[in-house]
C-alpha cells in the first residue's frame, strides 16, 4: 500500500509541474519570439511567479464568487499596450492549445472573462490599458477602446459637450468591451436604443490575428459583434459610436414607498404605464428590504426612479396625467446634466465632480461583492396577488440585501426590428427584471443558501414572465439557464446544448449567430461556457 502511494506521488508530482509551470514558460517564450518587440512584451505578462499576479487578476473582477482560492486561475495574464501584443497572444494560445479569456471591465456576472469551469489551462487577456477615448463633437461620434469604462467615455463626452451623450449602462465601471458586445442599456435607451444599436464601426482582431474593420469584416460579423455576447467572435479592440443629443439639463426623480403605503398597487399600475410613456421618460422600480420599523416589523420598500430628457416643469404635469397615483412632486426631483444623472443613479446625490466617473473601484450592489443575478422580460402585467407573493420572498434571511429592479421598455425599443442587431428583446415587452442577491465574505461558505434562494425566486416568477423561450439578457449572464451539467470541453459548446440558453438570449437571432461563428471561427478558438458554437 505504501509503495503504491509512493508510486502515485512520484507519478503525480511531475505531472502537476508540467500542468502549470512549464506551459507558462513555453507560452512566454512563444510570446517573445512572436512579438516584434520582445523586450516590452515580457513586462506585460504576469504569471504566478510575479508578486502582483493576484492583484492584477482581481483588479477588475466584480463578482467575489470568482476570486476565491478555489477559483480556477489563469496560467498567465497579459496586459497589452498594442494590437501586436494581442496578435501574439492569440497566436501563442492557438499554437500551444491554451484557452483565452478576454477581459475589458471584468463585470461578467459569472466571471467568464477571468475564470473557467473547463479543466483546460487558460490565459487572460486584460485590455485595461487599452482605454483611449477620442470624441469628435462636430460629427457627434467617438472612437473608444474596449478597455475603457463607460464612465471614462461619459467623462470625455461631458468634458467636450454639455449636450451630447451615449446611451449605455449606468454602472460607470462597466467595461466598454463586454457591454457593447452584449447590447447595453441605460437611462436613455427608450429614446435612443441599446449601446450596440449605436455602434457604427469597430476594429476587431480575428482568430488569424488580422485586424479587421467594418468594411473588411463584412456586415454579418459586424452584426454579430453588436449584441451577440462577448468572447465568441474575436477581440474587439475599439468601437466607433454615434453620440446622441440631450438637453443641458435633465430631470432625475426618486420616490420611495413602503409596501404599507400601497407600493404594490403603484407597481401594479406602473406595469401598464411605464412602457407607453413618451420616449423621453425612463422609469424603474427597485424593490428591496427596508430597515424594520420601530416595533421590529420587517419592511419592504419600492423606490421609483426616473430620468426625463427635459425640465421638471415639463415633467411633473406629464406624470400627473399619466401616473397620478405616484404623486410625483418637485421635492422628489432634481435637475442636472446627463453625465450627472449617471452618477445620481448609483450615488443618489448630485454635485460630485465629474472625475468620479473615472474611478474604477466605486462600489454598488453589483460591483466588488459576492452576488448571483438573473433577468426576465415581462409581457403582461403581473397580478397584485403575484406581486405580493414576490415581495414575501424578500422577508427571509437570505434576502437581506437582495434587490429586484423593474425597468420599463417601450419607446424606440418597440420600433427597432428584432433582427436589427442580435439583441432580440424589442417590441411587446412591458419591462425587464433584474434580480440580485448579495452576501458578505463571512457568509461565503453558505453561498449555496443564497444561490438557492435566487433559484426559488426565479421558479416562482416563471408563470408571470416570457415563455418559450423564457427570455434572458446576455449581459446579465446566468449559467443556470443552460444545460445543467458541463460534461467535458468538447460537448459544452455543442449546438443542441447551446441552443437552450441561445434561444433565451437571442431568440431567432441565435441561428444567424451560429452561422457567423461557423464562418469566422470554425475551430471554436474563442469560446467559453456560453459562447456561440460553430456547426460541426
Ligand atoms: C456593477 C454593474 C453594473 C451594470 N450595469 C449595467 C447597466 O446599467 N446596463 C446593462 O446593460 N448592463 C449592466 N451590467 C452588465 C454589463 O453590461 C455586463 O456585465 C458586461 O458584459 C460587462 O462588460 P465588461 O467589459 O465589464 O465585462 P467583462 O467581464 O470584461 O466581459 C464580459 C464578456 O465579454 C467578453 N469580452 C470582454 N471584452 C471583450 C472584447 N474587447 N472583445 C470581445 N469580447 C470581450 C468577455 O470575455 C466576457 O465573455 C452591469 C454589471 C455590473 C457588474
Ligand atoms: C517597443 O517597446 C518600446 C519600449 O517599451 C516602446 O517604447 C515602443 O513603443 C514599442 N514599440 C511597439 C511597436 O510596440
Ligand atoms: C514577471 O516576472 C518576470 C520574471 O521575473 C519578469 O521578467 C517580468 O517583467 C514580470 N512581469 C511584470 C509585469 O512585472
Ligand atoms: C391604498 O389603496 C386603497 C385602494 O386603492 C385606498 O383606498 C387607500 O386609501 C390607499 N392607501 C394609501 C395609504 O394611499
Ligand atoms: C438602515 O439602517 C442603517 C443603520 O441605522 C443605515 O445605515 C441604513 O442606511 C438604513 N437603510 C435604509 C434602507 O434605510
Ligand atoms: C440646470 O438646472 C439647475 C437647477 O435647476 C440650474 O441651476 C442651472 O442653471 C440649469 N442649467 C442650464 C444649463 O440650464
Ligand atoms: C474611488 O472610490 C473608492 C471607493 O468609493 C475610494 O475608496 C477611492 O478613494 C476612490 N479613488 C479616487 C481616486 O477617488
Amino acid at each position: 500500500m505504501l509503495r503504491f502511494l509512493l508510486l502515485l506521488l512520484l507519478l503525480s508530482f511531475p505531472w502537476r509541474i508540467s500542468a502549470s509551470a512549464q506551459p507558462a514558460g513555453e507560452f512566454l517564450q512563444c510570446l517573445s519570439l512572436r512579438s516584434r518587440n520582445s523586450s516590452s512584451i515580457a513586462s506585460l505578462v504576469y504569471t504566478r511567479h510575479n508578486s502582483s499576479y493576484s492583484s492584477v487578476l482581481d483588479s477588475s473582477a466584480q463578482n467575489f464568487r470568482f476570486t476565491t482560492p478555489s477559483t480556477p486561475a489563469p496560467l498567465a495574464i497579459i496586459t497589452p499596450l498594442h494590437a501586436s501584443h494581442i496578435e501574439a497572444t492569440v497566436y501563442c494560445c492557438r499554437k500551444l492549445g491554451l484557452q483565452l479569456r478576454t477581459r475589458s471591465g471584468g463585470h461578467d456576472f459569472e466571471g467568464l472573462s477571468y475564470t473557467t469551469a473547463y479543466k483546460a489551462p487558460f490565459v487572460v487577456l486584460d485590455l485595461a490599458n487599452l482605454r483611449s477615448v477620442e470624441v469628435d463633437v462636430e460629427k457627434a461620434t467617438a472612437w473608444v477602446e474596449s478597455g475603457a469604462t463607460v464612465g471614462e467615455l461619459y467623462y470625455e463626452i461631458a468634458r467636450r459637450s454639455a449636450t451630447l451623450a451615449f446611451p449605455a449602462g449606468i454602472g460607470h465601471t462597466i467595461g466598454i468591451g463586454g457591454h457593447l458586445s452584449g447590447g447595453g442599456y441605460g437611462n436613455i435607451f427608450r429614446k435612443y436604443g441599446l449601446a450596440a444599436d449605436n455602434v457604427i464601426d469597430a476594429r476587431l482582431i480575428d482568430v488569424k490575428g488580422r485586424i479587421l474593420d467594418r468594411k473588411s469584416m463584412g456586415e454579418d460579423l459586424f452584426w454579430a459583434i453588436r449584441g451577440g455576447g462577448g468572447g465568441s467572435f474575436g477581440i474587439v479592440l475599439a468601437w466607433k459610436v454615434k453620440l446622441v443629443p440631450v438637453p443641458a439639463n435633465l430631470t432625475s426623480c426618486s420616490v420611495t414607498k413602503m409596501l404599507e403605503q400601497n407600493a404594490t398597487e403603484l407597481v401594479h399600475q406602473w406595469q401598464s404605464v411605464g412602457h407607453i410613456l413618451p420616449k423621453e421618460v425612463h422609469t424603474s422600480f427597485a424593490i428591496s428590504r427596508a430597515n424594520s420599523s420601530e416595533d421590529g416589523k420587517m419592511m419592504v420598500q419600492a423606490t421609483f426612479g426616473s430620468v426625463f430628457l427635459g425640465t421638471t416643469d415639463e415633467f411633473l404635469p406629464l406624470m400627473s396625467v399619466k401616473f397620478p397615483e405616484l404623486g410625483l412632486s418637485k421635492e422628489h426631483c432634481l435637475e442636472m446634466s446627463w453625465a450627472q444623472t449617471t452618477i445620481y443613479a448609483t450615488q443618489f446625490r448630485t454635485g460630485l465632480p465629474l472625475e468620479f466617473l473615472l474611478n474604477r473601484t466605486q462600489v454598488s450592489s453589483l460591483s466588488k461583492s459576492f452576488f448571483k443575478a438573473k433577468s426576465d422580460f415581462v409581457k403582461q402585467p403581473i397580478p397584485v396577488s403575484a406581486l405580493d407573493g414576490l415581495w414575501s420572498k424578500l422577508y427571509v434571511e437570505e434576502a437581506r440585501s437582495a434587490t429586484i429592479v423593474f425597468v420599463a421598455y417601450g419607446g424606440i425599443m418597440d420600433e427597432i426590428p428584432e433582427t436589427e442587431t442580435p439583441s432580440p428583446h424589442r417590441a411587446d415587452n412591458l419591462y425587464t427584471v433584474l434580480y440580485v442577491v448579495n452576501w458578505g465574505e463571512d457568509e461565503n461558505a453558505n453561498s449555496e443558501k443564497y444561490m438557492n434562494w435566487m433559484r426559488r425566486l426565479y421558479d416562482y416568477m416563471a408563470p408571470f414572465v416570457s415563455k418559450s423561450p423564457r427570455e434572458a439578457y446576455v449581459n446579465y449572464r446566468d449559467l443556470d439557464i443552460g444545460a445543467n451539467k458541463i460534461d467535458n470541453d468538447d460537448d459544452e459548446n455543442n449546438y443542441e446544448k447551446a441552443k437552450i440558453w441561445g434561444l433565451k438570449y437571442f431568440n431567432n437571432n441565435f441561428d444567424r449567430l451560429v452561422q457567423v461563428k461557423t464562418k469566422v471561427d470554425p475551430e471554436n478558438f474563442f469560446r467559453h461556457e456560453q459562447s456561440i458554437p460553430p456547426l460541426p
Side-chain angles (χ1 to χ4, degrees):
M1 184 65 191
L2 189 65
R3 282 230 312 268
F4 177 72
L5 279 177
L6 268 176
L7 189 69
L8 253 184
L9 261 179
L10 283 173
L11 280 176
S12 59
F13 213 62
W15 177 83
R16 277 173 157 259
I17 290 170
S18 71
S20 57
Q22 208 170 305
E26 258 181 79
F27 179 66
L28 279 168
Q29 210 170 21
C30 175
L31 280 181
S32 301
L33 285 172
R34 182 71 185 177
S35 170
R36 262 151 276 147
N37 210 345
S38 57
S39 60
S40 76
I41 201 159
S43 64
L44 303 172
V45 183
Y46 301 81
T47 70
R48 282 165 219 269
H49 301 296
N50 297 87
S51 55
S52 42
Y53 169 85
S54 296
S55 60
V56 172
L57 182 58
D58 292 349
S59 58
S60 68
Q62 299 295 316
N63 196 339
F64 288 169
R65 270 165 62 210
F66 308 107
T67 59
T68 67
S70 60
T71 307
L75 203 66
I77 307 160
I78 298 101
T79 56
L81 294 173
H82 191 266
S84 67
H85 302 143
I86 301 180
E87 188 278 335
T89 305
V90 170
Y91 173 86
C92 294
C93 285
R94 289 183 70 200
K95 181 160 187 261
L96 299 173
L98 298 168
Q99 299 210 352
L100 180 68
R101 295 289 159 122
T102 304
R103 181 164 77 175
S104 289
H107 284 51
D108 192 284
F109 283 6
E110 300 280 9
L112 298 188
S113 55
Y114 51 94
T115 187
T116 175
Y118 299 143
K119 304 279 180 298
F122 69 104
V123 159
V124 168
L125 183 70
D126 187 322
L127 303 180
N129 290 330
L130 293 171
R131 60 211 269 193
S132 77
V133 180
E134 284 166 38
V135 173
D136 185 333
V137 172
E138 303 270 274
K139 298 206 175 79
T141 59
W143 268 105
V144 52
E145 287 187 309
S146 282
T149 60
V150 298
E152 285 165 345
L153 174 60
Y154 300 166
Y155 175 82
E156 224 28 63
I157 296 170
R159 230 164 52 84
R160 311 288 168 97
S161 164
T163 54
L164 284 176
F166 183 63
I170 44 175
H172 73 258
T173 54
I174 309 167
I176 289 286
H179 191 58
L180 271 57
S181 292
Y185 73 90
N187 65 15
I188 48 175
F189 85 112
R190 296 185 69 253
K191 172 87 175 174
Y192 294 115
L194 303 175
D197 297 338
N198 291 279
V199 171
I200 49 181
D201 203 342
R203 271 201 301 277
L204 169 127
I205 295 200
D206 76 355
V207 67
K208 297 189 179 124
R210 296 176 300 191
I211 302 182
L212 307 174
D213 65 3
R214 177 175 186 166
K215 195 150 170 256
S216 53
M217 79 177 80
E219 286 302 305
D220 275 340
L221 181 52
F222 184 64
W223 174 84
I225 60 172
R226 288 173 297 153
S232 287
F233 302 101
I235 296 151
V236 182
L237 283 172
W239 312 74
K240 186 179 187 184
V241 298
K242 201 164 65 191
L243 306 182
V244 301
V246 290
N249 253 342
L250 285 75
T251 304
S252 263
C253 310
S254 158
V255 183
T256 297
K257 300 272 186 187
M258 297 296 156
L259 289 195
E260 292 71 10
Q261 296 173 289
N262 276 358
T264 311
E265 192 55 39
L266 272 185
V267 173
H268 182 250
Q269 276 158 0
W270 170 85
Q271 296 181 99
S272 312
V273 173
H275 70 114
I276 50 171
L277 287 170
K279 291 184 176 107
E280 288 72 26
V281 185
H282 167 82
T283 63
S284 64
F285 261 105
I287 294 110
S288 63
R289 278 261 284 274
N291 285 335
S292 30
S293 60
E294 274 165 22
D295 56 6
K297 200 165 153 254
M298 210 180 282
M299 312 244 274
V300 167
Q301 65 186 21
T303 299
F304 169 88
S306 64
V307 171
F308 173 63
L309 287 155
T311 62
T312 315
D313 288 343
E314 294 165 307
F315 189 44
L316 292 179
L318 175 84
M319 291 303 276
S320 73
V321 172
K322 306 276 183 187
F323 194 19
E325 299 83 357
L326 180 65
L328 194 67
S329 68
K330 226 171 177 118
E331 74 259 23
H332 301 129
C333 301
L334 289 166
E335 289 182 352
M336 62 190 84
S337 69
W338 179 74
Q340 287 287 349
T341 67
T342 69
I343 299 177
Y344 185 73
T346 59
Q347 306 305 305
F348 307 107
R349 55 197 175 120
T350 55
L352 287 170
L354 279 183
E355 281 69 23
F356 180 82
L357 293 171
L358 304 176
N359 189 333
R360 287 189 164 226
T361 57
Q362 174 264 331
V363 179
S364 78
S365 70
L366 278 172
S367 45
K368 296 282 179 193
S369 69
F370 295 87
F371 68 88
K372 173 67 191 170
K374 289 178 177 289
S375 61
D376 262 320
F377 289 87
V378 178
K379 317 261 175 188
Q380 267 152 19
I382 300 178
V384 166
S385 58
L387 289 174
D388 280 333
L390 176 57
W391 313 153
S392 73
K393 305 267 176 235
L394 289 167
Y395 286 90
V396 300
E397 173 63 16
E398 295 92 304
R400 224 167 34 248
S401 42
T403 310
I404 301 166
V405 190
F406 293 177
V407 180
Y409 256 59
I412 198 176
M413 295 299 281
D414 285 347
E415 295 161 20
I416 298 174
E418 187 176 325
T419 52
E420 184 88 359
T421 65
S423 310
H425 318 295
R426 302 286 184 177
D428 303 328
N429 287 297
L430 305 184
Y431 58 97
T432 183
V433 186
L434 166 63
Y435 313 88
V436 188
V437 63
N438 288 85
W439 58 93
E441 170 114 60
D442 53 326
E443 273 292 291
N444 201 37
N446 298 322
S447 62
E448 276 306 305
K449 197 170 86 181
Y450 297 89
M451 302 282 283
N452 289 334
W453 176 80
M454 179 56 81
R455 288 168 186 147
R456 286 198 305 274
L457 182 73
Y458 191 69
D459 288 346
Y460 169 81
M461 289 298 282
F464 312 114
V465 299
S466 63
K467 293 176 198 64
S468 314
R470 183 172 182 178
E471 296 171 28
Y473 175 35
V474 67
N475 260 345
Y476 293 163
R477 179 91 58 197
D478 179 5
L479 292 183
D480 291 350
I481 67 169
N484 295 332
K485 200 163 151 277
I486 293 168
D487 296 337
N488 63 55
D489 289 358
D490 294 331
D491 219 15
E492 172 61 13
N493 263 161
N494 163 295
Y495 172 80
E496 288 304 326
K497 276 192 178 178
K499 206 171 171 176
I500 299 171
W501 50 260
L503 292 178
K504 294 176 186 183
Y505 288 146
F506 307 112
N507 218 337
N508 295 324
N509 291 328
F510 178 64
D511 276 338
R512 184 171 172 198
L513 289 169
V514 170
Q515 282 160 25
V516 175
K517 173 75 176 183
T518 308
K519 209 162 79 187
V520 305
D521 182 22
E523 282 164 24
N524 206 10
F525 172 71
F526 293 109
R527 65 142 81 173
H528 55 66
E529 291 80 343
Q530 284 186 345
S531 57
I532 304 295
L535 288 171

